[in-house]
Amino acid sequence: MSVIQFIKSKTFFKHLGIMAAIVIALSIGVMKWLESSTNHGQEITVPDLRKLTLSKVSEKLEGIELEYVLVDSVDYRSDFPPLSVVQQDPFPGEKVKSNRKIYIKINSSTFGNITLPELIQVSYRQAIPTLKAAGLQLGTVTYVPNIGKDMVLEVKMNGRTLKGGEKVKKSSKIDLVLGDGNAGSVTDSIISIEQIMNDVKSF
């Protein structure tokens, strides 16, 4: 039987039909497998995990087939409970597949220690941004008689005098004692009078 005769025969079309059926069946099988392996069409809304402790996070994700991965801790934030979730990725409300990992960062248990900057003999105007840059807050400001107007003469916290370089908790309130600029003029006048009297006596 020639090739042309075979192509025109019923046997050829029978085999062609069988091959086509096999290809279709394989295609359907592959599609079904892909759907099941990628959870096609099965999306989960990411819950809001912020301000939850790790134990609460585990409970919340366990029932919806999601997992969490602790990435890091961040500097203590007073608006979040200690050791609670501060950041998460993906964000709340996003749609993800089941078994997706949620990457989280938690709040530190307390403020960390930082180094108090040197503020003595620094002007009040300079001291404010210096405190802010160091992560500290301004507490009370008091004035004492001194020629250096608005000059920092003493640094305190909770009534205790501090020195530059000491360790304090971040976000602590720092009290400043400033000069009022008045004492110097009186003192200088007294010194000047005494000097004049001494000069007169020397003649």
Side-chain angles (χ1 to χ4, degrees), residues 47 49 67 71 89 95 104 131 143 164 183:
L49 305 177
E67 302 176 15
V71 178
D89 181 27
K95 302 291 186 179
I104 61 176
L131 284 173
Y143 287 86

Side-chain angles (χ1 to χ4, degrees), residues 64-188:
I64 55 176
E65 298 183 356
L66 294 177
E67 302 176 15
Y68 79 85
V69 176
L70 178 58
V71 178
D72 197 5
S73 61
V74 299
D75 288 341
Y76 180 73
R77 292 179 52 176
S78 58
D79 53 333
F80 283 81
L83 302 178
S84 68
V85 177
V86 175
Q87 300 175 17
Q88 67 177 88
D89 181 27
F91 295 107
E94 290 191 25
K95 302 291 186 179
V96 297
K97 302 287 195 313
S98 62
N99 299 319
R100 173 68 184 271
K101 290 181 172 60
I102 310 299
Y103 298 91
I104 61 176
K105 294 183 179 181
I106 62 171
N107 198 20
S108 297
S109 59
T110 184
F111 286 115
N113 288 328
I114 60 174
T115 302
L116 178 70
E118 183 58 65
L119 299 173
I120 302 300
Q121 296 302 313
V122 173
S123 69
Y124 177 71
R125 181 176 294 182
Q126 291 176 310
I128 299 305
T130 302
L131 284 173
K132 185 176 181 180
L136 298 168
Q137 300 182 54
L138 176 65
T140 60
V141 177
T142 56
Y143 287 86
V144 296
N146 189 275
I147 189 174
K149 182 173 176 56
D150 292 329
M151 192 71 67
V152 178
L153 304 176
E154 197 172 1
V155 178
K156 295 184 176 183
M157 185 178 70
N158 298 325
R160 184 172 69 88
T161 300
L162 301 176
K163 295 181 179 179
E166 288 191 45
K167 296 295 183 180
V168 295
K169 292 291 184 182
K170 185 177 181 180
S171 199
S172 296
K173 289 187 176 181
I174 303 300
D175 303 326
L176 300 179
V177 178
L178 309 178
D180 61 8
N182 294 322
S185 58
V186 177
T187 303
D188 289 345

